[in-house]
Amino acid sequence: MLRPRIIPCLLVHNGGLVKTVGFKTPKYVGDPINAVKIFNEKEADELVVLDIDASVKGAEPNYALIAKLAAECRMPLCYGGGITTAQQAARIIDLGVEKVSVSAAAIARPALLGEMAAAIGRQSVVAVIDVRKKSGLFASGHEVCTHNATRAHPQDAVALARQLEAAGAGEIVFNSVERDGTMNGYDLDLAQRLRSALSVPLTVLGGAGSLDHVGALIERCGVVGAAAGSLFVFKGQYRAVLINYPTPQQKDALFAAALPK
């Protein structure tokens, strides 16, 4: 039986682990390798590591860091940042990573996803869609953005997700920009629309601040990936840095309460 996945998402900036709010003001929270070791001990379902500098700077993936992460990680690892070719994706998979994620490069050229799928297998190809609410007095709906939310794109998020699935993505990650780091809960309405529109796995990111938020997502969308950053690196109202993750017993109780009997 398929089960939801609860997934820590780690952001790498200038070689360190950071957490952002609304994709801005990165706060240093530790060393990426040390964080992986702790999540190993806590038996996390999966781990996502995103280099938030690479695409903005037009840089190659940091293969040295990827190799260290893969060597240490004892759970499925998804890496994103700076990937623009199928050859780069294949090199990352050869280092021991299970999945490779792309965002800006896939939105600019969806055919890249098919090329990656041919090189590494569709199950290892992840497309990330960063979405924010449109700004302006009379604006409504959402817009897609890339490059740490500095560039807007006209596509509808759901239509784009379906296009990227058709192009070769084996998984879609939806990331809410305005909820990033707020810890006020996921965008459940858009998550549900995406889940209904897709046949590949969906992972939702942005806004989780408690296990209740994770449960609400699973209750609304069923078997999905519930990803979070702040939830797993901060503790308490003052956001003290403390890496944490639910126990197997907590996860079992969460799934039993949220999924249909």
Side-chain angles (χ1 to χ4, degrees):
M1 178 180 176
L2 292 176
R3 284 163 57 96
R5 295 162 293 138
I6 299 180
I7 308 167
C9 179
L10 306 180
L11 305 180
V12 175
H13 170 63
N14 292 333
L17 181 62
V18 301
K19 189 64 199 76
T20 57
V21 177
F23 282 35
K24 298 176 182 177
T25 60
K27 176 184 178 181
Y28 179 78
V29 294
D31 174 70
I33 303 301
N34 185 57
V36 170
K37 292 178 180 179
I38 297 173
F39 284 121
N40 281 338
E41 295 172 359
K42 296 184 178 297
E43 300 181 348
D45 294 332
E46 187 175 327
L47 191 65
V48 173
V49 177
L50 302 176
D51 181 339
I52 62 174
D53 297 331
S55 293
V56 173
K57 296 179 178 178
E60 281 263 329
N62 186 340
Y63 298 111
L65 175 62
I66 296 168
K68 292 178 182 177
L69 291 167
E72 190 63 49
C73 195
R74 297 200 300 266
M75 71 211 84
L77 173 63
C78 175
Y79 186 88
I83 296 107
T84 59
T85 69
Q87 291 75 20
Q88 291 171 328
R91 182 175 175 182
I92 291 170
I93 293 294
D94 287 343
L95 292 173
V97 174
E98 280 73 24
K99 299 179 185 178
V100 177
S101 76
V102 287
S103 180
I107 293 170
R109 193 173 69 87
L112 171 63
L113 297 169
E115 295 165 5
M116 290 173 59
I120 64 175
R122 181 169 183 160
Q123 75 285 346
S124 295
V125 179
V126 178
V128 178
I129 301 175
D130 297 327
V131 180
R132 66 183 171 198
K133 290 183 178 178
K134 292 181 180 178
S135 59
L137 185 61
F138 301 106
S140 62
H142 296 79
E143 64 184 3
V144 175
C145 52
T146 59
H147 297 82
N148 294 343
T150 60
R151 301 183 191 178
H153 300 265
Q155 296 101 318
D156 171 77
V158 176
L160 176 62
R162 295 182 69 174
Q163 179 188 8
L164 298 183
E165 176 186 11
E171 180 178 346
I172 300 292
V173 173
F174 151 57
N175 190 7
S176 173
V177 174
E178 69 270 3
R179 291 175 183 262
D180 170 60
T182 65
M183 303 183 76
N184 290 327
Y186 293 107
D187 186 336
L188 297 179
D189 292 337
L190 186 52
Q192 185 177 29
R193 287 176 56 207
L194 285 162
R195 177 66 281 165
S196 298
L198 298 169
S199 58
V200 296
L202 172 69
T203 292
V204 182
L205 177 63
S210 70
L211 291 183
D212 287 341
H213 291 152
V214 174
L217 173 66
I218 295 169
E219 185 174 3
R220 180 77 77 91
C221 298
V223 177
V224 294
S230 297
L231 174 61
F232 300 130
V233 298
F234 294 136
K235 201 72 174 177
Q237 62 176 324
Y238 299 110
R239 297 197 180 197
V241 176
L242 179 64
I243 291 178
N244 65 98
Y245 187 80
T247 65
Q249 294 77 15
Q250 287 176 310
K251 289 198 296 184
D252 288 343
L254 186 69
F255 299 159
L259 292 172
K261 303 298 186 288

